[in-house]
């Protein structure tokens, strides 16, 4: 079993700003009391308010943006008590912060087939930095050309396409989709992806990255299997500790797959990004 990561520090951060995003989200900017080297996209922090309004167990959130002044932005969809408390925080409030945690996306290089990033609702969050890092070049590798990145961003309806304009402004091809047809393609993310292939707007061979609800992830993994495409999934499992101790984030692995003989992996320290070939979803 892997050891807990080194970055399990708990420290305070100060809320800088909170603004509404979409129908039920907020863009939360915080100033951590620690500084970090550049963070790989899809890494996350556990967050809770320092007062009694948050549940005692902090909640995991991917980093949306890591700004030059060291502040961090999170894009948060209000789901329950933990996210409500964070959304209601005010500038100057203190947050308990643990991280940065997890493994982010591997190097997004420009040497292979184009990248297609599939985002479901709030699952779009890790792709903002993912696109920035791909276009800038990672780990000394070739930058990805903007025409070789497509973001397919889907949601139940238009109000759940958080910060869509900011994603579109990154300069990659962005395909919006909604289940109810209120914006963009009428259908889900996987249907929008297939429509891109049918319209010859994507080559047959692409590399897939996905983040969204588990049903969407299972459907993406199935497409990847059928078409024999490389595919990585950033999972949003429920988490207790975020640092490998509580076993609350177990993910079933493929027997004798890329993760070896261990039957479960821990999303918090082995992920949250997994090769679709390594895990079993929807069982
Ligand atoms: C690595 C990682 C990164 C994440 N990044 C983000 C992010 O950038 N932005 C964001 O808004 N959320 C993100 N999440 C999800 C977020 O952590 C949960 O929405 C949050 O923990 C809910 O806490 P709560 O107290 O508000 O809701 P709770 O009261 O705990 O739950 C309210 C309802 O939501 C359901 N629920 C809670 N968590 C999840 C989940 N993960 N998936 C599906 N249903 C859930 C519960 O079953 C319940 O029905 C991420 C999760 C992980 C593991
Ligand atoms: S959340 Fe506790 S082990 Fe992963």
């Amino acid at each position: 079993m892997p050891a807990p990561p080194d970055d399990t520090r708990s420290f305070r951060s100060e809320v800088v700003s909170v603004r509404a995003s979409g129908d039920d989200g907020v863009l939360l900017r915080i100033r951590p009391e620690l500084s970090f080297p550049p963070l790989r996209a899809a890494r996350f922090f556990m967050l809770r308010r320092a007062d009694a309004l948050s549940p005692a167990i902090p909640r995991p959130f991917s980093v949306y943006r890591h700004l030059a002044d060291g502040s961090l932005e999170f894009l948060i969809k209000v789901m329950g008590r933990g996210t409500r408390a964070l959304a209601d925080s005010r500038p100057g409030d203190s947050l308990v912060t643990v991280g940065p945690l997890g493994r982010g996306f591997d190097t997004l290089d420009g040497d292979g087939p184009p990248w297609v990033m599939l985002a479901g609702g709030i699952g779009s969050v890790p792709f903002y930095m993912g696109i920035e890092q791909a276009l800038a070049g990672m780990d000394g590798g070739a930058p990805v050309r903007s025409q070789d990145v497509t973001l397919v961003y889907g949601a139940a309806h238009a109000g759940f396409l958080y910060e869509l304009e900011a994603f579109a402004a990154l300069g990659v091809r962005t395909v919006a989709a909604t289940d109810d047809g209120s914006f963009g393609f009428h259908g889900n993310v996987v249907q929008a992806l297939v429509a891109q292939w049918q319209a010859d707007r994507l080559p047959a061979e692409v590399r897939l990255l996905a983040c969204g609800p588990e049903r969407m992830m299972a459907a993406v993994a199935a497409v990847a299997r059928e078409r024999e495409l490389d595919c990585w999934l950033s999972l949003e499992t429920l988490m207790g500790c975020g640092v490998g101790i509580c076993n609350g984030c177990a993910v079933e692995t493929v027997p004798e797959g890329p993760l070896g003989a261990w039957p479960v992996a821990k999303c918090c320290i082995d992920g949250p990004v997994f090769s679709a070939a390594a895990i079993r979803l929807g069982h």
Side-chain angles (χ1 to χ4, degrees):
M1 191 192 323
D6 295 333
D7 275 334
T8 53
R9 291 165 292 185
S10 174
F11 53 91
R12 293 297 169 110
S13 300
E14 183 184 318
V15 173
V16 177
S17 59
V18 189
R19 81 151 161 83
S21 181
D23 278 2
D24 60 352
V26 291
L27 184 64
L28 170 72
R29 183 180 295 190
I30 65 172
R31 185 175 299 113
E33 66 182 7
L34 302 180
S35 58
F36 313 99
L39 297 171
R40 196 168 272 262
R43 298 199 72 195
F44 67 96
F45 285 80
M46 303 290 286
L47 300 181
R48 72 172 171 84
R49 280 167 68 140
D51 59 27
L53 289 177
S54 277
I57 298 175
R59 305 299 199 231
F61 300 97
S62 305
V63 180
Y64 174 59
R65 294 203 305 161
H66 186 193
L67 298 149
D69 66 2
S71 58
L72 298 170
E73 275 185 352
F74 297 90
L75 197 45
I76 295 176
K77 177 184 178 76
V78 175
M79 297 285 288
R81 203 172 135 219
T83 45
R84 178 78 268 160
L86 290 167
D88 288 345
S89 56
R90 304 221 166 144
D93 283 351
S94 182
L95 302 187
V96 175
T97 320
V98 183
L101 300 170
R103 299 161 187 268
F105 293 129
D106 274 348
T107 303
L108 306 177
D109 62 78
D111 289 333
W115 292 96
V116 178
M117 302 182 181
L118 302 163
I122 201 67
S124 58
V125 175
F127 293 125
Y128 191 92
M129 292 205 323
I131 293 169
E132 281 188 326
Q133 292 172 2
L135 297 181
M138 291 175 74
D139 307 323
V144 185
R145 300 177 312 161
S146 57
Q147 61 267 40
D148 287 339
V149 182
T150 300
L151 172 70
V152 183
Y153 188 173
H157 76 96
F160 295 157
L161 291 169
Y162 310 91
E163 305 300 309
L164 178 62
E165 301 78 15
F167 281 97
L170 289 169
V172 301
R173 205 154 67 85
T174 301
V175 178
T178 48
D179 295 351
D180 68 357
S182 51
F183 192 86
F185 176 85
H186 189 169
N188 65 34
V189 168
V190 174
Q191 290 164 338
L193 170 67
V194 171
Q196 290 290 306
W197 274 316
Q198 286 168 343
D200 272 337
R201 295 202 186 103
L202 281 177
E205 194 183 358
V206 294
R207 292 175 284 182
L208 300 177
L209 298 172
C211 184
E214 185 161 333
R215 257 179 53 195
M216 170 192 141
M217 304 289 254
V220 171
V223 168
R225 251 192 327 272
E226 273 161 32
R227 294 180 173 245
E228 298 182 2
L229 299 174
D230 287 335
C231 175
W232 293 267
L233 308 172
S234 186
L235 302 187
E236 294 187 345
T237 55
L238 297 174
M239 285 188 182
C241 67
V243 298
I245 293 166
C246 73
N247 289 325
C249 62
V251 179
E252 196 181 342
T253 62
V254 171
E256 307 307 330
L259 287 172
W262 199 252
V264 287
K266 294 181 186 182
C267 185
C268 62
I269 54 174
D270 300 315
V273 178
F274 292 94
S275 161
I279 55 170
R280 285 155 63 101
L281 296 172
H283 289 268

